[in-house]
Amino acid sequence: MTTTALLHTAAELHALPPAGGRTGTRAVVMTMGALHDGHATLVRAAREQVGEAGQVVVTVFVNPLQFGAGEDLDRYPRTLEADLAVAELAGADAVFAPSADEVYPGGEPQVRIAGGPMGERFEGAARPGHFDGMLTVVAKLLHLTRPDVALFGQKDAQQLALVRRMARDLNFPVGIVGVPTVREPDGLAMSSRNRFLSTGDRTTALALSRALFAGRDTLAAATPTAPATPAAVRAAARAVLDGAALSLDYLSLIDPSDFTEATDDHRGEAVLAVAARVGTTRLIDNIPLTFGEPQ
């Protein structure tokens, strides 16, 4: 296996030979580090996208613009050596791990990309400014890495929707690919923040995925003569969360086209999403659903 290059500057990144002189197709996987098998799945999916003749670049950058007051910027794990090993094993050609000064050479940028109304709902309401910071760094990293395709996990459904909208609205010449959420054997969605959960909190956190699965199962049990409504799906999920030792931010059935609450007559794709604080750790999860078609 080829050794994965570790790059720290834009100059090093731009000097990286194009896909070994082969097709030149490049995929990028953007992360904030603390890589786990969910990230490795993204890297493996990127390799499948570009083939052995292509090139996969993983970015590792804890973006300060995405963290609001009182959030866990300083606590966020930084494990670059381990991240490099995970990326290499998953098939990455290079890891780009720039400093904050490299990404923002003049300090925090005065000009930023705004998520608009779509970025002010749900996670945007809970974390004001988060998506503006995310979109700004994604735009910068797309310019720096110059990929043909960028892959993002579906666990961060609102992030994925906003990146897709940014690429479309601002004519970024890159394909945006969503990769299904990777889960632990017990159903908990993989997250770098899971390491902050105590044993008891981790057990409590399983209520999030179980609530989503309850909503999914309610929809799957529907029949043409007894269709499942969005209200019934929400109710099934909420019943699991009632009484759980967590602080619920939201449980919502969302229209992914604009990230508004799905109406009672919604048909087509939807996202059942939940966010809650378990102990001191805030977790999010979601599953895609389709109304009006077999699950």
Side-chain angles (χ1 to χ4, degrees):
M1 181 173 60
T2 302
T3 300
T4 299
L6 177 59
L7 314 172
H8 294 288
T9 68
E12 291 173 335
L13 182 62
H14 295 159
L16 189 67
R22 295 160 291 186
T23 67
T25 302
R26 176 180 286 179
V28 66
V29 174
M30 298 182 190
T31 82
M32 292 206 299
L35 302 190
H36 49 66
D37 195 53
H39 297 106
T41 298
L42 286 169
V43 177
R44 290 191 289 267
R47 174 57 64 197
E48 291 178 5
Q49 283 280 323
V50 302
E52 290 304 314
Q55 189 175 74
V56 176
V57 176
V58 175
T59 69
V60 174
F61 179 63
V62 182
N63 178 31
L65 300 190
Q66 290 175 229
F67 292 80
E71 292 190 334
D72 53 359
L73 173 61
D74 293 335
R75 192 171 70 136
Y76 199 88
R78 290 153 171 87
T79 57
L80 183 57
E81 185 175 346
D83 294 344
L84 183 62
V86 171
E88 182 169 271
L89 188 62
D93 295 290
V95 169
F96 178 50
S99 66
D101 288 339
E102 183 71 20
V103 177
Y104 304 118
E108 289 196 7
Q110 295 185 38
V111 176
R112 307 187 188 194
I113 293 179
M118 189 173 172
E120 295 170 356
R121 303 173 184 126
F122 300 105
E123 286 302 293
R127 306 176 65 189
H130 167 74
F131 285 125
D132 294 356
M134 179 276 292
L135 290 171
T136 298
V137 81
V138 167
K140 288 180 72 75
L141 289 172
L142 287 174
H143 288 311
L144 288 168
T145 58
R146 303 172 184 173
D148 301 286
V149 61
L151 291 88
F152 295 85
Q154 291 179 357
K155 186 178 83 70
D156 296 301
Q158 194 168 4
Q159 170 180 277
L160 174 60
L162 281 161
V163 170
R164 281 177 167 155
R165 189 61 183 252
M166 177 183 74
R168 181 169 66 249
D169 287 355
L170 301 184
N171 300 104
F172 276 73
V174 58
I176 306 299
V177 175
V179 178
T181 300
V182 179
R183 299 184 179 278
E184 302 284 357
D186 58 10
L188 184 68
M190 287 190 178
S191 170
S192 300
R193 290 189 167 93
N194 288 350
R195 67 185 65 196
F196 299 136
L197 297 170
S198 68
T199 301
D201 287 342
R202 196 187 183 291
T203 300
T204 299
L206 294 177
L208 275 66
S209 56
R210 288 173 180 164
L212 299 180
F213 299 157
R216 177 196 62 192
D217 293 346
T218 296
L219 182 57
T223 66
T225 57
T229 64
V233 169
R234 291 188 194 95
R238 185 169 292 277
V240 176
L241 296 171
D242 286 346
L246 51 77
S247 177
L248 183 66
D249 280 358
Y250 59 80
L251 171 69
S252 297
L253 188 68
I254 298 166
D255 183 338
S257 66
D258 58 4
F259 256 73
T260 58
E261 192 76 32
T263 60
D264 287 341
D265 60 352
H266 181 81
R267 291 294 178 268
E269 294 182 356
V271 175
L272 183 60
V274 63
R277 190 169 294 277
V278 181
T280 61
T281 304
R282 188 174 184 276
L283 300 174
I284 62 172
D285 199 357
N286 73 84
I287 55 172
L289 299 175
T290 304
F291 284 80
E293 298 177 16
Q295 294 297 298

